[in-house]
Amino acid sequence: MEKFAIIDLGTNTFNLLVAEKVNNKEFKLIYSEKIPVKLGEGGINKGVIEPIPFERGINALRTYKKKIEELGIEQISAFATSAIRSAQNGKDFVTKALAETGITINVINGNREAELIYKGVKLAVEVDDEYALIMDIGGGSTEFILCSQQGIVWKKSFDLGAARLLEKFKPSEPITKDEILNLKTHLLNHLQELWQIAKRHRITCLIGSSGSFDSFTEMVCAKHNQKINLKEIKNFKLEITDFEELFSQIIKSNREERLCIPGLVEMRVDMIVISSILTKLILDELYLNKIIVSTYALKEGVLHELMNQ
């Protein structure tokens, strides 16, 4: 059986997925890991990767390369997204990564990122005969993909990632009503293309892809004393009432209080406020009352392509 190692070099997290092909649509998970690199820290809105996160990123790749070698995997596919593609020294990072680890990084644009996210989500969620909106909140960018059973209708990557917005707005702890209003105004203005496309299609479902939506799921399940292992499921129905309660809790809490919320991992404690406000805005503006969480995203989309070559 063919085995693949896929590295998703995100703005917040470097993700490793090692899998074995079962057939053209299914795979067996061998190993997965997330390292909170925070590559955009201090420099994402200046268009630069600062020295400390730069080195964190290289160290993460060294760790992954060692693990991949231990597992005996020869085929490595590494993809970089917003933080590296928008940084002046992004090419320097790619060059050093190759020299230090032997890993070749493919820097992809926003459209390609959205396409791969769609392919990953399609493996996890069956889209019905209505229109669904896939939403993937990254650190540097957020991707939206409008789709139906027939495929992608429209896709767009916006430079509205949680880390980018966090550094731009620097909200208080807890965030104030005025800060929420300023953030919402910014999002409303910058998502005009999404609002226009939504007017022409009746969207009935929001599909949240990985990342923050994983955290929403884990927090809701913890609240209901429901045990869940996201590595063992493909999707999860997130009730609107549960999200609304979670949203209220998150925006009223300070960092110390969020650290104590069961199901919320530390690496998402800061950005979950921004992600919650962005998600709530989409639900409200598009009048959506159905959320499906896909545990598959970009790296599974890459895997799907590799399995079908």
Side-chain angles (χ1 to χ4, degrees), residues 165-200:
L165 293 169
L166 187 67
E167 291 218 356
K168 179 179 178 64
F169 286 92
K170 296 180 173 60
S172 307
E173 292 289 357
I175 191 169
T176 66
K177 288 182 178 180
D178 284 344
E179 288 168 343
I180 292 173
L181 181 59
N182 288 338
L183 174 58
K184 286 174 68 175
T185 300
H186 179 80
L187 293 171
L188 285 166
N189 289 337
H190 284 79
L191 288 171
Q192 287 299 322
E193 198 171 335
L194 172 61
W195 311 138
Q196 290 302 316
I197 200 75
K199 285 179 182 177
R200 302 200 294 271

Side-chain angles (χ1 to χ4, degrees), residues 217-228 261-264:
T217 300
E218 289 178 316
M219 284 186 278
V220 166
C221 288
K223 184 178 179 181
H224 293 304
N225 296 314
Q226 180 182 349
K227 290 184 179 179
I228 191 169
I261 299 177
L264 180 59

Side-chain angles (χ1 to χ4, degrees), residues 51-302:
I52 292 174
F54 190 107
E55 197 55 36
R56 280 200 301 260
I58 298 297
N59 285 336
L61 291 177
R62 288 193 187 104
T63 300
Y64 283 166
K65 182 61 182 296
K66 183 179 178 182
K67 186 65 184 181
I68 290 165
E69 287 175 344
E70 287 174 5
L71 294 168
I73 312 296
E74 294 182 359
Q75 186 167 344
I76 304 173
S77 297
F79 290 78
T81 54
S82 181
I84 293 175
R85 70 171 171 248
S86 63
Q88 300 162 23
N89 58 342
K91 289 183 180 178
D92 296 335
F93 185 90
V94 171
T95 301
K96 185 168 184 180
L98 180 60
E100 297 274 332
T101 69
I103 296 172
T104 300
I105 298 170
N106 181 12
V107 182
I108 58 175
N109 63 30
N111 268 338
R112 176 68 171 143
E113 185 177 357
E115 179 187 3
L116 289 169
I117 289 165
Y118 167 75
K119 288 182 176 181
V121 170
K122 193 178 176 184
L123 293 176
V125 180
E126 188 173 336
V127 178
D128 58 24
D129 54 358
E130 303 284 349
Y131 289 106
L133 181 68
I134 298 169
M135 176 181 182
D136 188 299
I137 306 171
S141 63
T142 294
E143 282 66 48
F144 292 97
I145 304 103
L146 178 65
C147 62
S148 68
Q149 282 182 328
Q150 281 68 47
I152 296 174
V153 176
W154 169 88
K155 62 184 186 296
K156 179 82 173 181
S157 177
F158 295 87
D159 285 336
L160 296 171
R164 193 182 296 277
L165 293 169
L166 187 67
E167 291 218 356
K168 179 179 178 64
F169 286 92
K170 296 180 173 60
S172 307
E173 292 289 357
I175 191 169
T176 66
K177 288 182 178 180
D178 284 344
E179 288 168 343
I180 292 173
L181 181 59
N182 288 338
L183 174 58
K184 286 174 68 175
T185 300
H186 179 80
L187 293 171
L188 285 166
N189 289 337
H190 284 79
L191 288 171
Q192 287 299 322
E193 198 171 335
L194 172 61
W195 311 138
Q196 290 302 316
I197 200 75
K199 285 179 182 177
R200 302 200 294 271
H201 301 85
R202 185 173 177 273
I203 302 168
T204 60
C205 175
L206 178 67
I207 302 175
S209 168
S210 195
S212 298
F213 288 95
D214 285 350
S215 291
F216 295 151
T217 300
E218 289 178 316
M219 284 186 278
V220 166
C221 288
K223 184 178 179 181
H224 293 304
N225 296 314
Q226 180 182 349
K227 290 184 179 179
I228 191 169
N229 183 348
L230 294 179
K231 291 182 180 180
E232 296 177 352
I233 64 170
K234 293 181 180 181
N235 58 64
F236 180 86
K237 184 179 180 182
L238 185 61
E239 299 293 342
I240 288 287
T241 50
D242 283 329
F243 174 78
E244 295 280 359
E245 289 175 11
L246 196 60
F247 172 78
S248 296
Q249 180 183 8
I250 289 168
I251 63 167
K252 291 175 184 175
S253 63
N254 58 35
R255 191 177 196 278
E256 188 176 342
E257 290 166 337
R258 291 196 302 278
L259 279 167
C260 298
I261 299 177
L264 180 59
V265 293
E266 186 176 357
M267 69 177 178
R268 295 212 178 101
V269 162
D270 296 316
M271 282 170 279
I272 200 69
V273 177
I274 302 291
S275 298
S276 300
I277 293 168
L278 176 52
T279 302
K280 181 73 163 62
L281 180 74
I282 298 300
L283 293 170
D284 290 348
E285 290 296 313
L286 302 183
Y287 304 101
L288 302 177
N289 56 17
K290 182 180 179 182
I291 309 173
I292 302 293
V293 176
S294 167
T295 61
Y296 289 6
L298 184 143
K299 57 188 183 298
E300 287 82 10
V302 172

